[in-house]
Amino acid sequence: MVQKRNIYLNNVPLEKAQKIFLEELMKSKWSHPIASERIGVTEAVGRITAEPVFARCSSPHYNASAMDGIAVRTEKTVGAKETAPVRLKKGSDFVYVDTGDPIPEGFDAVIKIEDVEVVDKSTVEIISAASPWQHVRNVGEDMAAFELILPENHRIRPVDIGGLLAGGVTYLKVRKRPLIAIQPTGTELVEPGNRLNPGDIIEYNSYMLKNTAISWGADAKIQPILPDNYNEIKSKVRDMVRDSDVIVINAGSSAGSEDYTAAVVKELGRVVVHGVAIKPGKPVVLGIVEGKPVIGIPGYPVSALLTFNLFVKPIVYKLLGLSLPEPDVVEAVLARKVASDLGLEEFLRVKLGYVGSKLTAVPISRGAGVITSMIRADGVLRVGRLSEGIDAGEKVKVELLRPLKEIKNNILAIGSHDICLDILTTLLKQKHPEITLSSAHVGSIGGLIALRRGECHFAGIHLLDPDTGEYNTPYLKRFLPSKKVVLINLVYRQQGLIVKKGNPKGIKGLQDLVKQGVTFVNRQKGAGTRILLEHEMKKWGIKPGDINGFEREEYTHTSVAATVAAGSADAGLGIKAAANAYGLDFIPVVEERYDLAVPEEFLQDGCVQKLLQILKSPEFKKTVENLGGYSTRHTGKVVGRNEDD
């Protein structure tokens, strides 16, 4: 069957798309909430009650002693006091009881054993009268038979299991878990663990989506990968509609020549919405086949996870009879200006941290294919579809992805990238699990600007001043003339040209970047490595236009090395450790000093102090030296400062 190229059927605002889709589902033969099933209480944690649950017996179901002591008849204790003790006879006036023992008939109180003086085997003496039912757990003190234990539509917690069993309940009705069928499509997909050939993509989205669904209380079944074949996809959708409650097709929702989801849904049922005004995730398909929701989500992982949360989560909660939980939202100050496309509601991932008393949000990678941006993100900032962006310093609302109490111990680092920061992050987390070092890689100049705005705890910088040949200190005076900042050395490192193994293009130095057939990958504007490159180019009389690839930018040393390793470039300027990590050759250019610029006000911060202790540790230095291309001769030492004039 030859398919025509798809087109977007609509570009609906998010809230309208969600509303329309649920309304159309309600009109269909869609069943909600989902049917119930009877299960054992001991297996019910996390499940949703399908009906109210009442106690079958009282707890306790008898009058029980609340402590070790003697059960007494209160009338026999009247008048007892220190100056006039009362003696009681065993059997007629008292009996010994332990905690939890039933109170014998005719007895109505318990006296603690420590308040009892034993006279002989059958006689005790008391010096205080007992009040009726003191230290006695009455029948039904915890719960009475036929009393409500749990309401309908309640998610069962571990403590609820104890209460149910105490009330004599061993079985109960719960909502069946909605079954979500997740169908990965794409001829290029391979299962995790398989050998990768050029063009192969590891299929990991389904496992991410499955476990997300499980966290909501649903079941999910990952289907075998399908190639981009219209008839195979159509046949499989028919099967999934028969056997599942919700069908999710991953990839193939866009408008390409091999994107078949919308056409399949249209042939088997109807497409309610194709194309929602969000970024990422715009080409989502919302359809209904035989009364079942069929949702086509984009293949990029961030788009897939976002659209799964936006459109599948409300359905799961509806099927379970639950209200959709409101996200935890905090107010923060945006660290950098962000531009956004007018007409699209953008979901921007951010790192969060308290810099002084100010909660700061630092935007991180916006790429729909960058799954690590979701791993590193503390929250999500929504940029409205009628906005073209948000200025730096504006107050914004952020939906939390991590608890705020964890974010309070975040150390925010903004500036240049170095592998040593990853080592520092790892060791800090090992020694102090409550603290997280969060780094945003915007280049050395960007880090200094962030310091000036009070948006981070420190900036990693390696800026050579061409006029003096000095590193970093001149830039403190230039960008932070009135702020007290110290420079603490992280490392000295070798910067040079990263080239393919064996150096097939015979590159000997920067002068060879102008050779015919040599391609280059650069760092972003404002990066210390970019400034170093431009300084060295002037020595050789090289202009930007002379280098093929000068305008091609990456944001980290490892990204530069990865680009060279993949064969997309012949060379890039970076650190030796990155070349070593990728098994590439390295041509030294210069040794540079990489420092942490830390405002003096943060040197007394408890989290920063713990980080600096690790920085000075032999363990950190040894790990760094083992990478190659580093010297730790001044690591942890103050090597410069910017005093007030």
Side-chain angles (χ1 to χ4, degrees):
M1 177 178 180
V2 177
Q3 292 297 309
K4 295 181 179 179
R5 183 179 176 85
N6 297 317
I7 60 170
Y8 289 115
L9 301 183
N10 15 51
N11 192 26
V12 182
L14 174 59
E15 289 186 5
K16 185 177 180 181
Q18 291 172 319
K19 184 173 181 288
I20 291 172
F21 190 38
L22 281 175
E23 285 177 350
E24 292 302 310
L25 276 172
M26 304 288 258
K27 293 176 186 176
S28 70
K29 59 182 182 180
W30 186 53
S31 175
H32 70 283
I34 203 165
S36 63
E37 60 182 343
R38 190 168 181 263
I39 66 170
V41 164
T42 56
E43 306 301 320
V45 70
R47 303 297 295 273
I48 310 301
T49 55
E51 62 184 13
V53 186
F54 297 91
R56 301 174 70 87
C57 65
S58 297
S59 177
H61 62 275
Y62 59 90
N63 293 327
S65 175
M67 56 190 56
D68 298 344
I70 59 172
V72 299
R73 305 176 195 273
T74 53
E75 70 270 14
K76 297 288 187 178
T77 70
V78 174
K81 52 187 176 181
E82 287 189 20
T83 56
V86 170
R87 291 193 172 190
L88 303 174
K89 290 295 181 181
K90 185 176 180 182
S92 59
D93 299 330
F94 82 91
V95 294
Y96 285 105
V97 290
D98 293 327
T99 302
D101 284 352
I103 302 298
E105 187 175 351
F107 294 81
D108 61 355
V110 172
I111 298 175
K112 294 186 291 185
I113 194 65
E114 53 264 39
D115 293 336
V116 175
E117 183 71 31
V118 177
V119 178
D120 56 40
K121 289 184 178 180
S122 61
T123 308
V124 298
E125 192 173 78
I126 59 172
I127 59 173
S128 179
S131 57
W133 304 109
Q134 75 173 23
H135 305 317
V136 174
R137 296 191 66 213
N138 295 318
V139 172
E141 177 190 81
D142 192 350
M143 69 183 81
F146 312 113
E147 183 180 331
L148 178 69
I149 303 176
L150 298 177
E152 185 178 355
N153 296 332
H154 173 84
R155 192 182 294 275
I156 299 170
R157 304 163 298 170
V159 68
D160 299 327
I161 300 296
L164 291 166
L165 295 174
V169 180
T170 54
Y171 287 88
L172 78 167
K173 283 187 177 181
V174 296
R175 305 270 182 226
K176 285 186 177 178
R177 290 190 176 103
L179 178 59
I180 302 176
I182 301 173
Q183 178 61 69
T185 66
T187 307
E188 71 281 5
L189 298 181
V190 296
E191 288 290 347
N194 284 10
R195 181 178 178 180
L196 295 176
N197 296 311
D200 288 345
I201 297 176
I202 299 171
E203 203 295 285
Y204 59 84
N205 280 357
S206 295
Y207 299 92
M208 173 178 67
L209 301 178
K210 174 181 176 177
N211 286 284
T212 300
I214 290 172
S215 73
W216 299 334
D219 273 338
K221 183 178 180 181
I222 299 175
Q223 309 296 319
I225 296 169
L226 284 181
D228 294 313
N229 181 286
Y230 182 88
N231 289 324
E232 286 189 46
I233 295 171
K234 183 174 75 171
S235 175
K236 188 63 178 178
V237 169
R238 280 201 188 103
D239 294 340
M240 292 188 293
V241 165
R242 183 180 62 249
D243 300 332
S244 311
D245 300 300
V246 183
I247 296 87
V248 175
I249 305 171
N250 187 207
S253 66
S254 191
S257 60
E258 293 186 341
D259 292 326
Y260 297 133
T261 301
V264 165
V265 173
K266 185 176 181 181
E267 182 176 346
L268 297 178
R270 61 196 180 97
V271 173
V272 178
V273 174
H274 184 196
V276 179
I278 57 175
K279 178 183 179 181
K282 180 179 177 179
V284 67
V285 177
L286 308 177
I288 302 173
V289 176
E290 297 181 19
K292 302 284 184 71
V294 180
I295 301 165
I297 61 178
Y300 279 130
V302 178
S303 300
L305 185 58
L306 176 64
T307 52
F308 194 71
N309 273 279
L310 291 175
F311 299 106
V312 180
K313 187 176 184 178
I315 292 173
V316 168
Y317 273 75
K318 202 81 173 174
L319 288 171
L320 289 171
L322 300 175
S323 298
L324 198 63
E326 291 291 329
D328 291 329
V329 178
V330 295
E331 187 175 77
V333 175
L334 190 63
R336 295 203 313 271
K337 179 179 180 178
V338 294
S340 190
D341 295 332
L342 192 65
L344 294 177
E345 183 173 358
E346 182 172 6
F347 291 76
L348 188 69
R349 285 84 74 197
V350 297
K351 295 294 300 181
L352 292 169
Y354 281 94
V355 182
S357 60
K358 181 175 66 176
L359 183 60
T360 300
V362 182
I364 53 180
S365 177
R366 300 166 82 170
V370 185
I371 186 60
T372 52
S373 69
M374 292 302 295
I375 296 172
R376 294 169 182 159
D378 296 318
V380 173
L381 162 63
R382 295 193 184 199
V383 184
R385 65 188 182 87
L386 301 180
S387 171
E388 293 186 84
I390 305 174
D391 287 330
E394 280 195 41
K395 291 183 178 180
V396 293
K397 301 290 187 182
V398 178
E399 297 177 10
L400 292 178
L401 299 176
R402 292 175 56 211
L404 189 60
K405 65 180 181 180
E406 294 182 15
I407 292 166
K408 286 180 178 178
N409 287 326
N410 270 8
I411 301 173
L412 280 185
I414 301 178
S416 175
H417 170 255
D418 190 273
I419 296 171
C420 296
L421 289 175
D422 297 333
I423 296 172
L424 197 56
T425 300
T426 300
L427 293 177
L428 180 66
K429 206 66 178 173
Q430 288 175 359
K431 306 291 185 183
H432 306 285
E434 75 282 4
I435 304 175
T436 299
L437 173 59
S438 300
S439 301
H441 309 311
V442 299
S444 296
I445 297 295
L448 291 175
I449 293 172
L451 275 184
R452 187 169 64 196
R453 291 175 177 163
E455 295 164 351
C456 60
H457 295 96
F458 68 82
I461 61 174
H462 59 107
L463 293 165
L464 174 66
D465 180 35
D467 296 330
T468 64
E470 188 179 0
Y471 269 95
N472 300 329
T473 304
Y475 287 88
L476 289 189
K477 295 177 180 177
R478 189 179 309 166
F479 283 89
L480 303 162
S482 59
K483 195 177 185 73
K484 289 186 176 181
V485 180
V486 298
L487 291 172
I488 299 174
N489 181 245
L490 181 69
V491 287
Y492 288 82
R493 62 187 192 178
Q494 292 184 34
Q495 281 265 32
L497 290 173
I498 299 172
V499 299
K500 295 177 184 178
K501 189 69 176 175
N503 194 7
K505 294 293 177 76
I507 298 169
K508 296 178 180 177
L510 291 172
Q511 69 275 19
D512 291 331
L513 296 180
V514 301
K515 282 184 176 180
Q516 185 76 20
V518 172
T519 58
F520 184 73
V521 57
N522 207 347
R523 289 292 303 281
Q524 81 277 18
K525 294 179 180 68
T529 300
R530 175 79 164 248
I531 293 171
L532 172 64
L533 172 68
E534 292 170 356
H535 173 68
E536 293 294 320
M537 286 168 59
K538 286 180 182 178
K539 292 182 180 179
W540 291 94
I542 300 172
K543 297 177 181 179
D546 298 335
I547 298 176
N548 182 11
F550 183 86
E551 299 301 326
R552 183 182 181 185
E553 298 179 350
E554 291 292 345
Y555 280 76
T556 66
H557 294 280
T558 48
S559 295
V560 168
T563 301
V564 174
S568 300
D570 297 310
L573 191 63
I575 57 176
K576 185 176 181 180
N580 291 349
Y582 281 83
L584 301 170
D585 284 355
F586 182 79
I587 302 163
V589 173
V590 69
E591 183 188 62
E592 64 174 10
R593 197 181 82 203
Y594 184 107
D595 299 329
L596 306 181
V598 187
E600 285 190 2
E601 61 188 291
F602 296 132
L603 292 177
Q604 302 307 314
D605 179 273
C607 293
V608 173
Q609 285 184 339
K610 290 174 181 176
L611 180 140
L612 294 177
Q613 288 171 3
I614 291 173
L615 177 62
K616 298 173 183 176
S617 69
E619 182 180 6
F620 174 76
K621 294 177 182 179
K622 181 179 179 181
T623 305
V624 168
E625 294 277 6
N626 288 340
L627 293 175
Y630 287 109
S631 168
T632 60
R633 60 185 183 270
H634 291 155
T635 294
K637 295 181 179 180
V638 174
V639 292
R641 61 179 64 245
N642 186 27
E643 299 285 3
D644 285 333
D645 293 336

